[in-house]
Amino acid sequence: MQPRTVAGASPEAGQWFKVRGPLVGGQVIAAGKTLTVKVTGKAGMPATGVASVAINIAANGRTGDGTGQLIAYPSGVAMPDTTTIRFRKSFYNQNLVFLKVGSDGNVKLTNDSSSDVLVYADAHGYTTSAPGATAGPTFFPLKPERIGQVSVPANGSVLVAPLGKAGVPSGGVSDVLFTMSGRSATAGKLIVYPSDGSLPTDTNLDYGLNLLVQNQVIGRLGADGKFKITNNGAKAVTVSLDAAGYFATPTAAVRGSTVEPITPSRLVNDARVPAGGTYTVAPLGQGGVPASGVSGVYLNITNVHFDGSGVLRVYPSGTTPSETHAVTFQAAMAYSGAIPAKLGADGKVTILNAGSSEIRLWVDQFAYYKTPTTGCSGTAAPARAKAVADPEPYNPTTVFQASPAAVGSQGILEFAYTDGIGRLMHGRADPASLGSLQWTPIHGQEGYYGQPALAEQADGRLNVLAHNLSGDVWSRTQATKDPAAWGDWVDVQKPMGSTVTAARQDDALDAFAVDGGGSLWALPQYAANDPYKGWIDLGVAGLSTSTAPLAVPVADGLRLFFLDTSGTWRTALYARGTVSNCASLSDPGFSGNASVVTYPGSRLRIFVRGADGHVLTKTQDGSGTFPPAWEQVGDLIAAGSPSALVSPRSGKTEVVVRGTDDRIYSTGETVQGTGEWRAWVDAQPDASVPATDPTAFQYVGTGGPTWSYVFRTINQEMRLYWPEGETARLKASPPAFKGRALPKPPPAR
């Protein structure tokens, strides 16, 4: 099957575009004077529509004591009381900031000191004030984590592979934003650029004088996902690389934040922070930053340290700091360093003084990261919160056929369910020998409830998601596919009210659940085979927690189906972390789970249990719209939720459901695609009593493509049934079913 590719993000204001080139080429700014710097039309930037520039400034004091500060700000406004870079004699300090551009396309650099200063400034990228012709990357701030330390040889280079490290996904990344810090007694320069690019003429970090120095760097990745660091110095130098964010490509699995520049403003003015102490910054609602809808802010931090040296660590409030460098400092010197700061759950940022004595602290903000709108407009009735449930012994079984481990082989059938005491059972069977089914308890020391979700990673390893008795969804992925061996359980750490489902968008998996308050959330992989990063609120409220959302791959994303608290079926399109095209499909009063089949052209047919117990269906038309009216599928009154599929043998849609007499009944189309249904018939050739709703599934066996359904009895024993003599020519005649008991699960211990 050809993989689907969801359309990339549309052009939007605030998206990122990479350039690199000079803006100021070694110019002296006299004490107290201001230099106007033209930005638009320079260094590869457009002549109009530039909202902000990522400007890397290098400054060296020339007269007097050689110390002071530069203040950078957009033209057309009064000089703010902020700091952009502190400078000194005999050494170039560097700082990269995202700076708002004035309406005339200029920015200003004011030398707010009594010493002349020599300045270089280079553009390292820009954002737009309006949607451009093409979409650009969007930004994800990260809690700072160390990518690693590298030794860059004298007059040599080293390659760095940041993907999959320090919170950076393993794909869908154009640039990584990180702090580079190091120390050397010998002077030199470090230059960062793509692995397949040419050596630029500017510098990312000057080092020497045995000073611990740092600068924020935007590392553009080459086609191999790496960037290069070149050392223009006579001795090797070791540097630490601490990721603080990354830019996601327009085709990444999840869309990030846009960059919204503001006129620089002061948040903290000369605060005292003791050794080992912390200071909490609250940027929301301050200096042009909105009170909500913000994922992070771009801060510039200035400090003075009177005794010894050390580092400041910046991290989301409510989290634990990592061994990273945000701003370094030396005794009796003022330092400035910029960093994108991810906000904590309370909207705040913590700064830790990891030095040995008290510091004085100033904090300014230059931009914020606007969280993308995830949901559809409109509101729903408020939901009722649901407490975490006890184990549910008779939830349906999840079944699918894994991809073949080798060319010419058949994929293994994978089964999963939870039982009444919280065990999570995983079964594997050769489709040519269903009696080979082997059950393995994979719950470890934890307990689970509800129907688990099974999905395949892009590399073929199986992933299971299940609802832990603690309330959180937990994830476990095979360490190896063949031989099959499980890795560790991972708690995704957010309580959910409904059980969880999963589906694939491009090469990445996305899971969905409803929280206890009735809001719909997505749990995405940000790149193929990556761990799940964290839940995203999709902005859809008022949903039932008794019904799991359903996700179906379509050409332009994932089509979601969910039931609200009034019993109304609703739908929306999910793509790259957001939902759109929200619509209601039914009147109130419905219950149970939906089943959806996919026809060529990504046309969907949904089956549900109506308020009166009849099975109802409706199909999208050629424009993708569901009609207002439901069609009733025969006269059977169902006790459970239907399970439907397209028979790979006949091409007809088949449906099974549990009746009020605890028997499984079957119907199907008389002719392909007509929606004309055979009479319901008993589909059990034995006297087994189902304790769960049936699960119908397609698979490839020794005789070719076919389908079956399974249910479990009151003793958790699995029964499997399959149609015989099914052809496309049969009309009113139903297929004959045969069945068998599958091997029993191991006894509880």
Side-chain angles (χ1 to χ4, degrees), residues 227-253:
F227 59 79
K228 184 181 290 187
I229 305 176
T230 291
N231 178 13
N232 183 10
K235 287 188 178 181
V237 60
T238 297
V239 289
S240 299
L241 310 176
D242 299 324
Y246 66 92
F247 287 97
T249 64
T251 57

Side-chain angles (χ1 to χ4, degrees), residues 97-398:
V97 294
F98 280 78
L99 183 61
K100 184 176 182 179
V101 177
S103 59
D104 59 359
N106 298 328
V107 299
K108 292 184 179 292
L109 301 178
T110 294
N111 180 2
D112 185 34
S113 62
S114 58
S115 300
D116 295 351
V117 62
L118 179 62
V119 174
Y120 289 84
D122 296 276
H124 284 232
Y126 68 95
T127 63
T128 56
S129 56
T134 60
T138 49
F139 188 69
F140 281 89
L142 297 172
K143 175 188 173 184
E145 299 283 353
R146 180 145 293 172
I147 298 170
Q149 287 187 321
V150 295
S151 179
V152 192
N155 296 308
S157 302
V158 66
L159 285 174
V160 178
L163 296 181
K165 302 173 184 176
V168 179
S170 58
V173 177
S174 66
D175 307 77
V176 177
L177 205 159
F178 61 95
T179 299
M180 181 165 62
S181 58
R183 185 198 306 267
S184 176
T186 302
K189 303 176 186 296
L190 294 175
I191 305 136
V192 180
Y193 54 105
S195 57
D196 51 7
S198 300
L199 181 68
T201 58
D202 64 320
T203 302
N204 291 96
L205 183 65
D206 286 88
Y207 64 86
L209 304 181
N210 204 30
L211 297 174
L212 180 61
V213 294
Q214 101 290 316
N215 193 23
Q216 196 69 200
V217 178
I218 302 171
R220 169 57 57 107
L221 304 184
D224 59 359
K226 301 176 183 179
F227 59 79
K228 184 181 290 187
I229 305 176
T230 291
N231 178 13
N232 183 10
K235 287 188 178 181
V237 60
T238 297
V239 289
S240 299
L241 310 176
D242 299 324
Y246 66 92
F247 287 97
T249 64
T251 57
V254 179
R255 180 163 56 104
S257 300
T258 53
V259 181
E260 307 294 332
I262 59 174
T263 299
S265 63
R266 178 139 291 172
L267 283 173
V268 179
N269 188 43
D270 199 6
R272 303 273 178 158
V273 184
T278 61
Y279 192 94
T280 299
V281 180
L284 295 181
Q286 304 294 319
V289 175
S292 62
V294 177
S295 62
V297 290
Y298 201 83
L299 300 179
N300 193 53
I301 300 171
T302 303
N303 69 85
V304 175
H305 193 71
F306 295 104
D307 183 23
S309 61
V311 298
L312 298 181
R313 297 192 172 112
V314 179
Y315 52 98
S317 175
T319 67
T320 302
S322 301
E323 296 293 320
T324 57
H325 297 172
V327 183
T328 59
F329 47 80
Q330 305 285 331
M333 294 184 182
Y335 280 74
S336 290
I339 188 170
K342 182 178 181 179
L343 301 184
D346 60 358
K348 298 177 181 179
V349 175
T350 299
I351 301 173
L352 168 66
N353 175 9
S356 57
S357 64
E358 183 183 66
I359 64 166
R360 297 170 63 188
L361 181 70
W362 294 260
V363 181
D364 304 316
Q365 57 185 356
F366 281 66
Y368 67 91
Y369 305 113
K370 181 180 177 182
T371 304
T373 302
T374 58
C376 297
S377 59
T379 59
R384 297 183 297 274
K386 174 187 175 183
V388 175
D390 293 327
E392 300 171 344
Y394 302 125
N395 54 80
T397 303
T398 302

